[in-house]
Amino acid sequence: MSRAAVDRRLPLGVVALVLMVALWLTFTLFVAWSSLSPALRLQMAPLLGRALDATGPALALMGVVWLLVSAGVVRALLRHFASPAARLAEEGRLLLNTEVERALAQEGSAENRALAEVIGQLAAQRTRLRKDMAARVAEASQGIERERSRLAALMSELTQSVVVCNLDGRILLYNQRARMQFRALSMAPGVAGGAELIGLGRSIYTVFDRKLVAHALENIQLRMLRGAGEPSAQFVTTTAAGQLLRVQMAPVRSVQATNLPQTEDSVADRAELTGFVLMLDNITREYEVESARDQVMHTLTEGSRSALANMQAALDVLDYPDLEAPARERFQRVIREETRSLAQRIASLEADAARAHKTRWPLEDMLGADLVGAAMRRIETVTGLSASALDVDAALWLKVESFSLLQALVYLSGRLAEEFSVRFVQLRLSPALGSPGKAQLDLIWSGQVMSTETVMSWEMDTMRVGGEATRLTVRDVVERHAGAFWFERERTRHQTFFRFLLPMADPREQVAASTFVRSESRPEYYDFDLFKTTEQTRSLDERRLGDLVYTVFDTETTGLDPAKDEIIQIGAARIVNGKLLHQECFEQLVDPRCAISPASIPIHGITRDMVAGQPTIAEVLPAFHAFAQDTVLVAHNAAFDMRFLQLKEKATGVVFSQPVLDTLLLSAVIHPNQESHRLEAIAERFNVPVIGRHTAMGDAMVTAEIFLKLVPLLTERGIVTLGQAREAAQRSYYARLKY
């Protein structure tokens, strides 16, 4: 029984019982007194007065004892009859309005236990019927799901960034390349992987100017009205992070517009749109290359103009037949010097252009482990050598031209086998010590010592791979990667290795390896149901709970005092269209710049070494604010987490003014008769597995699952809008908690 319920029922029951007994005693005494004769009443009155004076303290003690006995009786009755019935009603509503499957507790009176058994049987019967119905629906909708899966698969494999939006600019589909692209556009790519810009239900206008997109849409509709079959629009824009994007926009027509006949009368109807597709190209580097090329042309033009003018003037003077010999020699010297200067300038520009061409060779992001695996297979196939991996960093991403790099590795392995009788090689990959942004790839072997002259000749010779000659050398491959190449000998291990110094992928564009190699299913980067949503002009309080976008978050702190302690981790997940998006999360450790309480470390498991070097709260909070923009915040015991955020407003300049919902308060609204509203207790009631308890991300995920279970129960109680939910929460007993 909740404390609020005890405070209400127990005093009321005791008062009712005492009043009933008092009324009965009063009525009994009145009847007995009225039956006495007047003479007897006169005789009894003094006796009763003296008796009351003598037994007053004893009567008062009996009254107190009676109150305690009454309280005990009322409490026992409530526990045996009222409370079990109330809890049974709450659990029955839980089974009725959610998909939770759990056995009902059989407690209280025999009638209450029998009722719980019957309700459990009905719930089990409904579950079987629901599963049968779900199986039939799934069978009937297999065709639609196949089409959705094909589209999702196609989108995920595209090498171009693609984003699909509805007319409100809300993202309803994007592919992996777009996720990488938006990460590169982030103002804080090092905080939570730059996850604050892209996500289902987010507004594309956080990246693009609304007016620019509206203008492009207007152009597309004008072309459609003129009868264009496949209209599109293009524009170039800069982002807040200074990136230059080229965007191609295509319309998404409604089903009705697509099926209309191609006639002049239907042109306006066929121009009806439900959204648009954006195809993005980051042309920042291309623009820089073009600018450098323009600078070369400008330098060549301006630098040559004066030289050519001097030469032309000297030639004009030399045409005079009566020109004296010393003067003729002086003008000829001017022509020779200007010609030499012009030749040197052209040679310098040619060398710069050649170097730029080598460094501009198109490179691709590749997981280092994949490169090593491909190299091992290629070496074994072409050379017959046995190859294995040694100390390969599985999370390392490289920016390479993999074809030529594999050719170099196979070429070197082949020469080792032919000239030094090497029969076994190993590949090792790790970040380069002392060279930020670089990785070192080693080709290791054991055997005869090699001279420096031999290595230099191998580096400069044209490579032959599998009997076929290429026009490339090892040095060409190294220069393409703007890297380095050398060989070393490890005397303690009696091993020698060639080392390639290679560029790592830009952290802003790097994608977690788990996205590619450990994902159990295709990421949830699409939600076609968002096509039917439109931006609401009414206030958030008037909107239905199911129509809102939520950011469910949790924090881990150095202690429990917001005035003294600091945040050390923030974890958050998003709920869009009633779905928890597992792929769109915010998780970041924070350096508190202070000690972590030893008493709290066993709870959250975060040590000082784990947060050392992590971003500070001044860097993390702006990114988290952008992640949670235009959403409703949800937390468990939100007063605690919000207090920490509020105390950082002055230092960070970030204010979280969004509405807040608390699953602790909402649980008390839905289940006022339950004994506990701790996160674990609520999760147990809803059959939500608790994974990663007391980690910010783990608690945020559990809270999100619980919130999704609470929404239909709130609706069943007539709490439909955000405003109604906030009002109901504030009326609960736990709303009195302050931090």
Side-chain angles (χ1 to χ4, degrees), residues 540-605:
L540 289 179
D541 274 349
E542 297 176 356
R543 295 181 60 180
R544 297 175 62 88
L545 292 171
D547 296 338
L548 294 166
V549 179
Y550 302 92
T551 297
V552 188
F553 77 103
D554 184 65
T555 62
E556 297 299 331
T557 60
T558 57
L560 299 177
D561 187 350
K564 298 178 181 179
D565 293 304
E566 298 288 339
I567 296 173
I568 55 176
Q569 189 180 38
I570 299 179
R574 301 180 70 240
I575 295 176
V576 180
N577 212 26
K579 300 172 184 175
L580 175 57
L581 306 182
H582 294 273
Q583 301 290 339
E584 296 182 9
C585 301
F586 184 100
E587 184 175 15
Q588 182 63 53
L589 289 170
V590 182
D591 189 346
R593 302 292 178 88
C594 67
I596 299 177
S597 170
S600 67
I601 292 177
I603 299 175
H604 49 60

Side-chain angles (χ1 to χ4, degrees), residues 471-507:
R471 292 183 296 177
L472 292 174
T473 65
V474 172
R475 175 164 294 183
D476 291 334
V477 175
V478 173
E479 289 180 348
R480 282 186 178 183
H481 293 82
F485 173 80
W486 68 89
F487 91 107
E488 293 184 19
R489 182 172 179 80
E490 294 181 340
R491 298 186 182 277
T492 57
R493 298 185 180 181
H494 304 289
Q495 291 180 331
T496 310
F497 60 85
F498 291 122
R499 172 162 290 175
F500 289 85
L501 200 63
L502 303 171
M504 291 194 296
D506 189 336

